[in-house]
Amino acid sequence: MEDKAAAAATFRRLRKRRGLSLAGLARALTATAEELHHPPLPAVASVQRSVARWESGTPTLPDERYQLLLAHFYARTPGGDTSLGPGTDFAEYLHALALLGESERRISEIRTLVLRSATDAGGGLLALLAPAVRASLASALDDPTRADEQTVAALASVVTDVNAQVGSLPMVRLQLLLSPAVEAARRLLAGNLPPPLTPQLREVAVAAMMLAGRLAFETRDDAASCALYADATQEAGQLAQPWKQAGVHMSHALVTLYSTQGLEEARRLVDQAVRTARIGESKAVRARAHALQAELAAREGHERQAQAALGLAWYDMEADKTGDPSPSSFSAGHLRGFEGVCELYVGDAGAAHDRFAKSAADLKAPREKVQRAIVTTDQALARIRLGDPRSAADLLHECVAAASSTGGRVPALRLRQARKELRPWRQEDWVADLDDHLMDVLGT
């Protein structure tokens, strides 16, 4: 009851902060629905009664239509700017929904929908910053000596928000949101920054540059991706945190694997990641490094080396993660996917299929949507090699949809590989259906 009372008080405060009566907010929601081309709302008096119920002594949760309309309304400042960061009306509104018992998943969906709308309109970094922070960042960019912990925390929150949207928003939109943060971090590091802030900002810069490198790869700008990873590697080398250096090497290795011919450069980066991870503080990062090492060994046909690396990966995965600085960066579900790849190249296709199925079942979070699409496509490839191409094609239809919604480059490459292995059945109607789906959605 205390939570509900606090939610009702928040709804009242947000409305009055805009200088609106109950009827005024009802009219504003009606106008928002018209602007978004939603179905018309009922008469203003009816909408007003709904507004009153949300603010009453026993408040009710707005239904999904009103939730989205309120989100769009409070995402804009009275001046018409989009503002979604901490301390904004939008953030307070989402907190009120949580107090009324709305699920984290639904709240995340609302945030993604509003963020998608912001990027439709060309919104970028400023949409993810609190209004008070915008002026602070502008001042720091003009004179880095004015930067403070709030400035660094604001940039870190942008990187975290963008990273959380991978799998929910197209990669090109995420680039739009992230690019200003990368440039801001660069300019601040190049200026006369207060010394105590330098290590903190460098950590933010490494995370931003690494994510930007991955997004550039996903949008097929390999030259920009390579330059961003070079910058991330340089900045990470100045941090006394080997696990973060290993993370940069691994991310760079993955994009190198799919953007260049041959495995030599990817193998060099993975070996470097393993060496760095071994002296680092994160068992999860070490497990991921060994898993990547296993995949590359399997791709080169070295079964014994692949199994040895997988054994080391499971050893670290099953270890106590207490105190691990990056405990959730790599999970058993991810590792099972790597096991499946190794089985696909140097083992048994049936075992590979089972590993992929378990991995896909574990990878349920929105952030894991791209990885789940990759794993599911590999599962279809295993079905082809097991002599069940029709079932594989059915599974690939799911992968096409996932690859389209995320814009992921690796799922698209894996789809192309699986489709090539269906060539012996190209005269079948179900292969033609898959080709039509690929052309309609991916244009390939």
Side-chain angles (χ1 to χ4, degrees):
M1 290 303 298
E2 290 179 1
D3 285 349
K4 288 188 175 183
T10 299
F11 276 115
R12 283 194 299 275
R13 183 171 62 254
L14 290 172
R15 173 175 58 79
K16 292 181 177 180
R17 188 181 294 164
R18 302 289 177 110
L20 295 173
S21 64
L22 293 174
L25 180 56
R27 286 191 291 269
L29 292 177
T30 299
T32 301
E34 292 176 358
E35 180 183 346
L36 295 174
H37 305 291
H38 283 203
L41 293 182
V44 170
S46 176
V47 180
Q48 180 178 335
R49 286 192 291 273
S50 295
V51 174
R53 284 194 293 273
W54 307 330
E55 300 180 9
S56 69
T58 54
T60 59
L61 181 68
D63 65 27
E64 289 193 357
R65 176 173 58 167
Y66 281 122
Q67 285 181 12
L68 189 57
L69 291 174
L70 285 163
H72 279 284
F73 178 70
Y74 285 123
R76 290 185 181 178
T77 67
D81 295 326
T82 302
S83 187
L84 311 176
T88 61
D89 287 354
F90 179 73
E92 286 192 48
Y93 163 68
L94 293 185
H95 180 61
L97 289 184
L99 291 174
L100 286 176
E102 187 54 87
S103 69
E104 290 185 13
R105 184 180 184 86
R106 172 59 182 166
I107 291 172
S108 177
E109 288 175 352
I110 292 171
R111 182 175 176 80
T112 296
L113 288 169
V114 174
L115 195 53
R116 182 183 293 270
S117 177
T119 55
D120 276 342
L125 172 66
L126 296 183
L128 295 173
L129 294 178
V133 177
R134 297 182 187 184
S136 172
L137 178 59
S139 176
L141 290 173
D142 287 337
D143 180 3
T145 62
R146 299 179 185 175
D148 55 21
E149 290 188 355
Q150 186 183 37
T151 308
V152 177
L155 289 176
S157 71
V158 172
V159 178
T160 300
D161 281 349
V162 173
N163 190 43
Q165 294 297 328
V166 172
S168 299
L169 288 176
M171 302 298 181
V172 67
R173 294 177 187 249
L174 297 178
Q175 275 188 307
L176 173 68
L177 292 166
L178 184 62
S179 294
V182 175
E183 182 59 26
R186 277 195 178 122
R187 287 173 56 184
L188 290 174
L189 283 174
N192 190 20
L193 196 69
L197 295 181
T198 300
Q200 301 172 42
L201 182 60
R202 182 161 282 123
E203 288 185 34
V204 175
V206 169
M209 291 168 178
M210 182 170 64
L211 180 55
R214 188 263 177 96
L215 294 175
F217 159 78
E218 296 285 8
T219 55
R220 292 168 175 77
D221 190 346
D222 293 337
S225 177
C226 185
L228 284 160
Y229 276 112
D231 291 343
T233 300
Q234 180 179 349
E235 295 297 339
Q238 299 183 60
L239 295 173
Q241 296 170 297
W243 68 273
K244 289 194 173 180
Q245 298 169 26
V248 175
H249 295 321
M250 283 188 284
S251 184
H252 193 186
L254 279 171
V255 304
T256 300
L257 178 62
Y258 293 102
S259 60
T260 61
Q261 297 296 321
L263 302 176
E264 183 177 348
E265 179 60 16
R267 188 193 319 111
R268 183 189 69 78
L269 288 165
V270 169
D271 290 345
Q272 191 172 358
V274 169
R275 288 193 298 271
T276 309
R278 282 174 179 167
I279 61 173
E281 309 87 339
S282 175
K283 296 182 179 68
V285 168
R286 198 153 59 235
R288 185 181 177 213
H290 284 302
L292 272 173
Q293 193 175 49
E295 176 176 344
L296 290 183
R299 285 175 177 272
E300 293 179 306
H302 303 313
E303 181 179 4
R304 181 177 298 179
Q305 291 92 324
Q307 292 302 324
L310 284 175
L312 291 171
W314 275 113
Y315 177 81
D316 286 316
M317 178 57 60
E318 295 171 345
D320 182 8
K321 300 293 193 308
T322 303
D324 193 312
S326 186
S328 60
S329 60
F330 190 69
S331 67
H334 292 96
L335 183 49
R336 289 190 183 97
F338 281 96
E339 278 190 315
V341 171
C342 291
E343 290 286 355
L344 201 59
Y345 279 96
V346 293
D348 177 72
H353 181 275
D354 293 344
R355 298 289 194 282
F356 290 135
K358 290 180 181 178
S359 177
D362 289 340
L363 300 172
K364 295 184 177 297
R367 178 65 176 76
E368 297 167 337
K369 188 174 182 178
V370 175
Q371 187 63 36
R372 186 167 64 251
I374 294 170
V375 167
T376 306
T377 306
D378 285 343
Q379 184 184 0
L381 189 59
R383 288 186 183 182
I384 296 171
R385 296 181 183 180
L386 287 169
D388 191 5
R390 178 67 182 271
S391 174
D394 292 340
L395 196 57
L396 288 174
H397 279 285
E398 300 177 22
C399 304
V400 172
S404 172
S405 65
T406 64
R409 183 176 177 182
V410 176
L413 290 171
R414 295 287 240 270
L415 275 168
R416 189 172 293 116
Q417 179 187 1
R419 174 57 187 86
K420 285 180 180 179
E421 298 217 11
L422 285 174
R423 282 175 178 170
W425 299 275
R426 58 182 176 272
Q427 302 300 326
E428 299 289 344
D429 290 343
W430 43 269
V431 175
D433 289 341
L434 177 61
D435 287 342
D436 288 342
H437 195 183
L438 285 167
M439 288 297 297
D440 290 343
V441 176
L442 299 177
T444 184

